[in-house]
Amino acid sequence: MSEPSGQRGVYWFFKGARGITSLPAIILMSAFVGFCGFAVEAGIPLGETVFMTGMIWALPAKVLLVGSILAGVSLPAAFITVALSSIRLMPMVAALIPEIRTEKTPTWLLLLLSHFIAITAYVFTMERIQDVPRAHRVAFFAGFGTTITSANIILVAVIYSTVANLPAMVAGALFFLTPVYFLTSIWASTRERAGHIAMIIGLALGPLFHQVAPEFDILYAGIVGGTLAFLADRAWKRRVGS
């Protein structure tokens, strides 16, 4: 007798949930320790830090929001900065959803699961999804996405007060995990040359714009770096094609 479909779905859900022990998940959780220290340093209360962990799902967006709060930028500027950082997730959603959905998958479920699509979840799932039967790919991704999000919410809630009492050197080291994860994960997930050029230019322009316009330094560095990278990439392609 074949195994009921519902039971197979549960199996693949927990198969995805087991991904919490994978290296990408552990690195992400370590980075959330750094983010927690960043939030404590910025004076963000426990409840708001936990809420951000669950609702603003992509660590760079949370870092940018806290950084905007520290810089004292206006609400519209903070909104634009976080929104622009999250636009990069749209190609991941467009690439992953067709890989996991079936004709019977309800739209509301796909919209709900798209909340959990970020670099770690995208890379983890795309590397393994071909080994999962298509009928159970939604369950597999749901298992990983909900588990890693819940784990980070619990992690931040538990260590919030501990991080606040750590020695300055240790707290600084933990905080350093966040930008390291930020840079390495985005660099690794970028497939186009323009993305790498934009990161390099943005890193170079960041300190300059911080001196000129500290309230909008990240926004300006992103816009200028991205524009120059786009133009440089187009010029390179025309030169190679000619």
Side-chain angles (χ1 to χ4, degrees), residues 20-221:
I20 194 65
T21 61
S22 65
L23 181 60
I26 293 173
I27 294 175
L28 178 62
M29 293 174 69
S30 300
F32 265 95
V33 175
F35 163 72
C36 188
F38 187 30
V40 171
E41 184 70 20
I44 308 297
L46 170 62
E48 295 179 11
T49 303
V50 172
F51 180 80
M52 289 170 59
T53 302
M55 297 306 297
I56 305 176
W57 189 241
L59 184 56
K62 284 187 275 287
V63 173
L64 288 174
L65 179 58
V66 175
S68 298
I69 294 173
L70 279 175
V73 304
S74 62
L75 182 60
F79 172 81
I80 293 173
T81 300
V82 174
L84 289 176
S85 77
S86 299
I87 289 176
R88 65 191 172 81
L89 302 178
M90 291 181 62
M92 299 183 194
V93 176
L96 181 59
I97 291 299
E99 293 293 330
I100 66 175
R101 71 180 177 187
T102 66
E103 295 181 354
K104 297 181 179 180
T105 307
T107 301
W108 67 265
L109 180 57
L110 295 175
L111 291 173
L112 177 63
L113 292 178
S114 65
H115 173 70
F116 303 102
I117 299 178
I119 291 176
T120 301
Y122 174 80
V123 172
F124 175 87
T125 304
M126 292 299 282
E127 287 179 347
R128 297 163 175 80
I129 201 65
Q130 298 303 322
D131 297 327
V132 181
R134 176 166 286 275
H136 304 298
R137 291 179 179 181
V138 168
F140 179 82
F141 177 74
F144 180 75
T146 57
T147 300
I148 195 171
T149 304
S150 301
N152 282 305
I153 291 174
I154 295 171
L155 176 67
V156 168
V158 169
I159 69 172
Y160 183 89
S161 58
T162 304
V163 170
N165 297 321
L166 287 175
M169 183 65 70
V170 177
L174 291 174
F175 168 68
F176 190 66
L177 291 173
T178 299
V180 168
Y181 171 79
F182 191 155
L183 293 173
T184 56
S185 58
I186 293 180
W187 183 275
S189 64
T190 300
R191 297 291 180 262
E192 296 292 332
R193 182 192 307 109
H196 292 144
I197 297 174
M199 288 187 64
I200 294 172
I201 297 176
L203 287 171
L205 293 179
L208 174 62
F209 282 121
H210 183 71
Q211 298 298 322
V212 177
E215 293 186 356
F216 300 95
D217 52 357
I218 297 176
L219 178 61
Y220 289 161

